[in-house]
Amino acid sequence: MNKIIYLDAAATAQKPECVINAEADFLRNSCANAGRGICARAAAVDDMVAAVRRRVAEFINADSNQIVFTSGATDGLNRIVNILTRQPGYSEMSSFAVSDLDHHSARLPWQELLCVGRIRKMFKCELDKNLDINPDSVPKTDFLVITAMSNVLGRAQDVRAIIAAARAKNPNVVTIVDASQYVVHEKIDVKDWGCDFLVFSGHKIGADTGVGILYIRDSKKLFPDKFGGGMVMRVGGMESAPKGSGGALFHENNPDLNLILNESPEMWEAGTLPLTQIAGLLPAIDYLEKHRPMSDLIKYAYDELVKNPKIKILTTRDAAILSFVVDDMHPLDVGALIGANDICVRAGNMCASWIHARMGIPGSIRISIGSWNTMEDISKTIDVIKKIVK
């Protein structure tokens, strides 16, 4: 394992020791459920979850009650659709807008609504000559999905300008940001952006798999999409929601079916949280903020590979990643040959079919780096690619 050069950080990051130690310590010394017990250990777990929630909120400039723990970005993006389609007035919403930069999980939940007739129209934001979202092209729509950074092109989008342009055309537009790649490389400020929802996955930033973040701006005004333990204050018998509750669901004829919900964020977190993964999330954020990936390594790889006329680089020199194709070679073949030399890169369509179709290619090869990578890693990789591409 130590001989492998891992250049697939955009798929999942390697875990720093501080994350591994935090999770191991939780499992060995602190394991209990959250929001379920009154003993000292259970209370300590509640405190841990609250502390991580505060740290995540600080990380993206949100409030703690706007932060919901999920199993990952895909879970969060699907939940957003489920949340929105449960709200009063949804039937008046008829269209959504996406772009060719989207990951499958950002667009497919909306396309499913289109296919089954629960939403009537899909718009696409135009991309400019650099394949960035053109804010001036954002259509008037009810829902707007924004990929803050493509996992193929690695360029930060001007999310604030895109949202402002969308709101100029429809003040009530609901904006959803997929920040899964962006969060690794750039600072997020949800208040400055003005987005309604935002998601990212823990495993991209060096935390564990199985945990993600869903930011909900109006978390106190919406109704939840999941029900179960931990999110309900009381079942049955109440004629009105008491002060301090997060809302209620009443049955016209049977008060035993009434539900009084907890406040946000608890109302969004039915069931047991991924507590071990949450324990590793705080040190992962702290580590990331001190050890962002070194952009100089990508620039060096770009400068070396661009010299070969058989290699077509798809990304710009200042991008967060490097994606390329090779003349007369399938991306999967190139990726397999690189992998045979104990180098991990990504090859294929990256769950981003639309941008590859836009460029007229079946897929690409992607180099993405983390804080663990060195110039020696990149130099060896370049040597291997040069031998493959003769």
Side-chain angles (χ1 to χ4, degrees), residues 48-119:
M48 181 271 288
V49 172
V52 176
R53 200 186 304 274
R54 288 193 299 271
R55 183 66 180 94
V56 173
E58 177 189 41
F59 184 51
I60 64 172
N61 194 26
D63 299 326
S64 291
N65 61 19
Q66 298 171 315
I67 301 300
V68 177
F69 294 114
T70 67
S71 67
T74 296
D75 180 40
L77 289 162
N78 278 268
R79 287 194 65 185
I80 290 168
V81 173
N82 293 333
I83 290 165
L84 292 172
T85 54
R86 297 177 69 92
Q87 304 310 310
Y90 162 73
S91 59
E92 300 172 6
M93 306 290 202
S94 63
S95 66
F96 69 98
V98 292
S99 80
D100 282 340
L101 299 182
D102 294 331
H103 185 278
H104 288 171
S105 57
R107 188 193 296 191
L108 293 183
W110 292 98
Q111 286 193 187
E112 190 270 341
L113 293 183
L114 190 65
C115 290
V116 299
R118 294 181 64 195
I119 203 164

Side-chain angles (χ1 to χ4, degrees), residues 175-254:
T175 55
I176 301 144
V177 179
D178 176 3
S180 300
Q181 297 295 329
Y182 188 104
V183 67
V184 179
H185 304 280
E186 304 283 347
K187 180 69 176 175
I188 291 174
D189 187 334
V190 292
K191 291 180 180 177
D192 180 62
W193 286 357
C195 57
D196 295 296
F197 296 89
L198 179 140
V199 302
F200 65 88
S201 295
H203 72 97
K204 303 281 189 186
I205 65 171
D208 206 346
T209 54
V211 66
I213 298 302
L214 167 58
Y215 160 80
I216 307 177
R217 185 172 70 166
D218 294 326
S219 58
K220 296 181 179 180
K221 297 180 180 179
L222 299 171
F223 203 74
D225 59 318
K226 289 186 176 183
F227 296 84
M231 55 80 66
V232 63
M233 178 184 291
R234 189 172 298 176
V235 177
M238 297 291 292
E239 295 182 357
S240 62
K243 185 178 180 180
S245 68
L249 184 65
F250 298 111
H251 190 275
E252 183 178 359
N253 300 316
N254 188 349

Side-chain angles (χ1 to χ4, degrees), residues 287-302:
Y287 188 88
L288 175 68
E289 289 194 323
K290 295 176 182 177
H291 304 88
R292 297 275 186 183
M294 294 176 57
S295 60
D296 288 350
L297 299 185
I298 291 294
K299 290 182 174 65
Y300 176 74
Y302 180 98

Side-chain angles (χ1 to χ4, degrees), residues 12 28 31 54 69 105 117 128 145 174 187 201 222 271 280 342 389:
T12 197
R28 289 193 181 105
C31 188
R54 288 193 299 271
F69 294 114
S105 57
D128 62 20
V145 179
V174 178
K187 180 69 176 175
S201 295
L222 299 171
D342 293 331
V389 186

Side-chain angles (χ1 to χ4, degrees), residues 251-266:
H251 190 275
E252 183 178 359
N253 300 316
N254 188 349
D256 289 339
L257 300 178
N258 293 346
L259 301 178
I260 308 298
L261 305 179
N262 280 321
E263 289 187 295
S264 182
E266 286 80 8

